[in-house]
Amino acid sequence: MKFISIKEAMKKGSGKVSVRGWVHRERGSNKFKFIVLRDATDLMQCVIKKEKFDEKKFEEADKLQVECSMYITGTIKADKRAPTGFEIEVDDFTVIGWSDSFPLQADQSREFMDDNRHLALRTRKLTAVMKIRHTVFGAFHEYFRGEGFYEYQSPIFQSVQCEGGSTLFGVKYFDKKDVFLAQTWQLYAEPAIFSLEKIYTMAPSFRAEKSKTSRHLTEYWHAEMEVAWSTFKDLQDYGEGVIKHAIKRVLEKNQEELKILERDPKKLEPSLKKPFVRMTYTEALKLLKEKCKMDVPWGKDMRTIEEDKLSSLFDVFIICTHYPKEVKAFYMMEDENDPKVVLGADFIAPEGYGEIIGCSQREHDIEKLKKRLRDMGENPDEYDFYLDTRKYGSIPHGGWGMGMERLISWMCGLDNIKDAIPFPRTPLRYKP
Ligand code: 4AD
Ligand code: MG
């Protein structure tokens, strides 16, 4: 018996086929057992007719429950009434694994679904998201490698912080106390551009964010890049380039999944076809005041509600640049034309999906870096290895980080970031 996938069986469209998978739905009568079989590729209606089997075998068919795994051999034909347009009339079947009564049903609470995440991964929704996630990760590798970047890995156990102490996870590292899980690869990426020049990664980052929002995970996948000799504009262009490439691939490969998720592909198209909107923080505040009647005093960071309002004014990503120095990280470079602001940018997604990329040109003045570390209450000595990058052939450079689950949430139109990752981690959720 040579098994083919359900998709391949549909392509074949007629004749004998053997498929295998799990019972997605079942219903029976005294003459038939209807099964919708699921494999990684699709669903297939299968009909087991009582007349074709002896009593004992049909009894077995009758006992089939949702999530039983089985082999099926039969004849496939097009059938408009079947959920995916084809039906297999079963000649023979073998049950491989019986199933207990499957706990997941439609309309169960978020909590219940999260408690049973290991089972929820079998749902059509999460399967569709994971396929889109796969496309997006693949597109990132494709884009960066195509642009001449090296893939490079940084440590997860780190001895210093980069994005502020409040979101650090300390870990027990034998008898040491000052070991943390990575918030970003950045301090361990910058040293590598002196040999590789253009590098990227996709790796887990960890943030002890207490905020229980639909955008925050405590463990997320971080796509990061760092480039030697870059200008601030280069960094923005790479960000726009990789997002466009990922949208292109998702539109090419995942129309079916978008449909399952009821995500209108037209929402993704503008960001592929049109240039992203680029504006400064100061211009953004002006727009918020004029168009949304929101008054943000200059110098204050934009909050989620302000970013959301701003995003509602456009149908593409916004690249917001030149933020006040005080609201951004210590390593961002001062603008030589206006030292109150830094060459830092946030990419704000359409439709209120929030900040997707944090980007900046890096400060290379070692004294300024040390001062900002001290201002933050950090001991610059701990950052010796990092500051060395500014001592031996320092160059203009920069990079950015993107939350993959935030991008995937937007692509899929999810209402919670938790569904963009197989096993979400949040302050309250660390099981299963
Ligand atoms: O803006 P952030 O903090 O920037 C950095 O970490 C830089 N060191 C990156 C770099 O330049 N290499 O984080 C980058 C992105 C955010 O824009 C957001 O998309 C995502 O990481 N992110 C989160 N995603 C999910 N859950 C969280 N708790 C996140 N925190 C940040
Ligand atoms: Mg940020």
Side-chain angles (χ1 to χ4, degrees), residues 360-371:
S360 73
Q361 191 74 358
R362 313 307 188 194
E363 182 60 70
H364 42 239
D365 183 322
I366 196 166
E367 292 311 320
K368 280 185 188 159
L369 283 172
K370 282 187 183 166
K371 178 172 182 313

PDB file of all heavy atoms in Angstrom, residues 360-371:
ATOM      1  N   SER A 360      17.368  50.803  15.110  1.00  0.00           N
ATOM      2  CA  SER A 360      18.168  52.013  15.326  1.00  0.00           C
ATOM      3  C   SER A 360      19.554  51.939  14.722  1.00  0.00           C
ATOM      4  O   SER A 360      20.131  50.865  14.550  1.00  0.00           O
ATOM      5  CB  SER A 360      18.314  52.332  16.822  1.00  0.00           C
ATOM      6  OG  SER A 360      19.202  51.425  17.438  1.00  0.00           O
ATOM      7  N   GLN A 361      20.049  53.123  14.418  1.00  0.00           N
ATOM      8  CA  GLN A 361      21.463  53.331  14.169  1.00  0.00           C
ATOM      9  C   GLN A 361      22.108  53.291  15.551  1.00  0.00           C
ATOM     10  O   GLN A 361      21.530  53.780  16.527  1.00  0.00           O
ATOM     11  CB  GLN A 361      21.627  54.704  13.479  1.00  0.00           C
ATOM     12  CG  GLN A 361      22.989  54.975  12.915  1.00  0.00           C
ATOM     13  CD  GLN A 361      23.285  54.192  11.649  1.00  0.00           C
ATOM     14  OE1 GLN A 361      22.473  53.383  11.179  1.00  0.00           O
ATOM     15  NE2 GLN A 361      24.456  54.393  11.088  1.00  0.00           N
ATOM     16  N   ARG A 362      23.302  52.689  15.666  1.00  0.00           N
ATOM     17  CA  ARG A 362      23.913  52.536  16.991  1.00  0.00           C
ATOM     18  C   ARG A 362      24.859  53.694  17.308  1.00  0.00           C
ATOM     19  O   ARG A 362      25.637  54.112  16.436  1.00  0.00           O
ATOM     20  CB  ARG A 362      24.693  51.220  17.080  1.00  0.00           C
ATOM     21  CG  ARG A 362      23.981  49.978  16.578  1.00  0.00           C
ATOM     22  CD  ARG A 362      22.612  49.750  17.177  1.00  0.00           C
ATOM     23  NE  ARG A 362      22.082  48.429  16.790  1.00  0.00           N
ATOM     24  CZ  ARG A 362      20.812  48.058  16.939  1.00  0.00           C
ATOM     25  NH1 ARG A 362      19.918  48.911  17.426  1.00  0.00           N
ATOM     26  NH2 ARG A 362      20.422  46.853  16.588  1.00  0.00           N
ATOM     27  N   GLU A 363      24.800  54.130  18.545  1.00  0.00           N
ATOM     28  CA  GLU A 363      25.735  55.164  19.019  1.00  0.00           C
ATOM     29  C   GLU A 363      27.138  54.588  18.959  1.00  0.00           C
ATOM     30  O   GLU A 363      27.367  53.481  19.444  1.00  0.00           O
ATOM     31  CB  GLU A 363      25.377  55.530  20.468  1.00  0.00           C
ATOM     32  CG  GLU A 363      26.221  56.610  21.085  1.00  0.00           C
ATOM     33  CD  GLU A 363      26.120  57.928  20.316  1.00  0.00           C
ATOM     34  OE1 GLU A 363      25.070  58.556  20.367  1.00  0.00           O
ATOM     35  OE2 GLU A 363      27.109  58.304  19.644  1.00  0.00           O
ATOM     36  N   HIS A 364      28.101  55.317  18.381  1.00  0.00           N
ATOM     37  CA  HIS A 364      29.454  54.768  18.492  1.00  0.00           C
ATOM     38  C   HIS A 364      30.387  55.582  19.378  1.00  0.00           C
ATOM     39  O   HIS A 364      31.532  55.225  19.546  1.00  0.00           O
ATOM     40  CB  HIS A 364      30.085  54.386  17.148  1.00  0.00           C
ATOM     41  CG  HIS A 364      29.861  55.339  16.039  1.00  0.00           C
ATOM     42  ND1 HIS A 364      29.242  54.972  14.881  1.00  0.00           N
ATOM     43  CD2 HIS A 364      30.167  56.627  15.914  1.00  0.00           C
ATOM     44  CE1 HIS A 364      29.177  56.018  14.075  1.00  0.00           C
ATOM     45  NE2 HIS A 364      29.724  57.022  14.662  1.00  0.00           N
ATOM     46  N   ASP A 365      29.877  56.645  19.978  1.00  0.00           N
ATOM     47  CA  ASP A 365      30.695  57.421  20.920  1.00  0.00           C
ATOM     48  C   ASP A 365      30.706  56.684  22.274  1.00  0.00           C
ATOM     49  O   ASP A 365      29.704  56.618  22.976  1.00  0.00           O
ATOM     50  CB  ASP A 365      30.098  58.818  21.073  1.00  0.00           C
ATOM     51  CG  ASP A 365      30.936  59.714  21.972  1.00  0.00           C
ATOM     52  OD1 ASP A 365      31.471  59.205  22.986  1.00  0.00           O
ATOM     53  OD2 ASP A 365      31.043  60.913  21.662  1.00  0.00           O
ATOM     54  N   ILE A 366      31.876  56.145  22.610  1.00  0.00           N
ATOM     55  CA  ILE A 366      31.972  55.279  23.799  1.00  0.00           C
ATOM     56  C   ILE A 366      31.642  56.040  25.090  1.00  0.00           C
ATOM     57  O   ILE A 366      31.031  55.491  26.011  1.00  0.00           O
ATOM     58  CB  ILE A 366      33.376  54.624  23.844  1.00  0.00           C
ATOM     59  CG1 ILE A 366      33.391  53.445  24.790  1.00  0.00           C
ATOM     60  CG2 ILE A 366      34.449  55.603  24.177  1.00  0.00           C
ATOM     61  CD1 ILE A 366      34.624  52.567  24.630  1.00  0.00           C
ATOM     62  N   GLU A 367      32.015  57.312  25.148  1.00  0.00           N
ATOM     63  CA  GLU A 367      31.743  58.083  26.374  1.00  0.00           C
ATOM     64  C   GLU A 367      30.242  58.300  26.555  1.00  0.00           C
ATOM     65  O   GLU A 367      29.716  58.209  27.663  1.00  0.00           O
ATOM     66  CB  GLU A 367      32.500  59.421  26.378  1.00  0.00           C
ATOM     67  CG  GLU A 367      34.023  59.267  26.492  1.00  0.00           C
ATOM     68  CD  GLU A 367      34.456  58.323  27.633  1.00  0.00           C
ATOM     69  OE1 GLU A 367      33.839  58.379  28.720  1.00  0.00           O
ATOM     70  OE2 GLU A 367      35.390  57.517  27.428  1.00  0.00           O
ATOM     71  N   LYS A 368      29.557  58.577  25.445  1.00  0.00           N
ATOM     72  CA  LYS A 368      28.102  58.745  25.540  1.00  0.00           C
ATOM     73  C   LYS A 368      27.441  57.445  25.999  1.00  0.00           C
ATOM     74  O   LYS A 368      26.510  57.455  26.804  1.00  0.00           O
ATOM     75  CB  LYS A 368      27.524  59.153  24.176  1.00  0.00           C
ATOM     76  CG  LYS A 368      27.706  60.627  23.882  1.00  0.00           C
ATOM     77  CD  LYS A 368      27.030  61.014  22.586  1.00  0.00           C
ATOM     78  CE  LYS A 368      27.398  62.448  22.211  1.00  0.00           C
ATOM     79  NZ  LYS A 368      27.200  62.724  20.781  1.00  0.00           N
ATOM     80  N   LEU A 369      27.917  56.333  25.471  1.00  0.00           N
ATOM     81  CA  LEU A 369      27.349  55.038  25.872  1.00  0.00           C
ATOM     82  C   LEU A 369      27.540  54.796  27.365  1.00  0.00           C
ATOM     83  O   LEU A 369      26.612  54.390  28.067  1.00  0.00           O
ATOM     84  CB  LEU A 369      28.001  53.903  25.079  1.00  0.00           C
ATOM     85  CG  LEU A 369      27.534  53.717  23.632  1.00  0.00           C
ATOM     86  CD1 LEU A 369      28.402  52.687  22.923  1.00  0.00           C
ATOM     87  CD2 LEU A 369      26.066  53.300  23.577  1.00  0.00           C
ATOM     88  N   LYS A 370      28.774  55.073  27.835  1.00  0.00           N
ATOM     89  CA  LYS A 370      29.058  54.848  29.261  1.00  0.00           C
ATOM     90  C   LYS A 370      28.174  55.729  30.134  1.00  0.00           C
ATOM     91  O   LYS A 370      27.639  55.286  31.141  1.00  0.00           O
ATOM     92  CB  LYS A 370      30.535  55.173  29.563  1.00  0.00           C
ATOM     93  CG  LYS A 370      31.499  54.088  29.149  1.00  0.00           C
ATOM     94  CD  LYS A 370      32.876  54.459  29.651  1.00  0.00           C
ATOM     95  CE  LYS A 370      33.910  53.449  29.207  1.00  0.00           C
ATOM     96  NZ  LYS A 370      35.281  53.948  29.395  1.00  0.00           N
ATOM     97  N   LYS A 371      28.004  56.978  29.709  1.00  0.00           N
ATOM     98  CA  LYS A 371      27.195  57.905  30.500  1.00  0.00           C
ATOM     99  C   LYS A 371      25.748  57.400  30.566  1.00  0.00           C
ATOM    100  O   LYS A 371      25.137  57.368  31.640  1.00  0.00           O
ATOM    101  CB  LYS A 371      27.248  59.312  29.903  1.00  0.00           C
ATOM    102  CG  LYS A 371      26.368  60.281  30.686  1.00  0.00           C
ATOM    103  CD  LYS A 371      26.518  61.724  30.278  1.00  0.00           C
ATOM    104  CE  LYS A 371      25.658  62.650  31.127  1.00  0.00           C
ATOM    105  NZ  LYS A 371      24.261  62.214  31.317  1.00  0.00           N
TER     106      LYS A 371
END
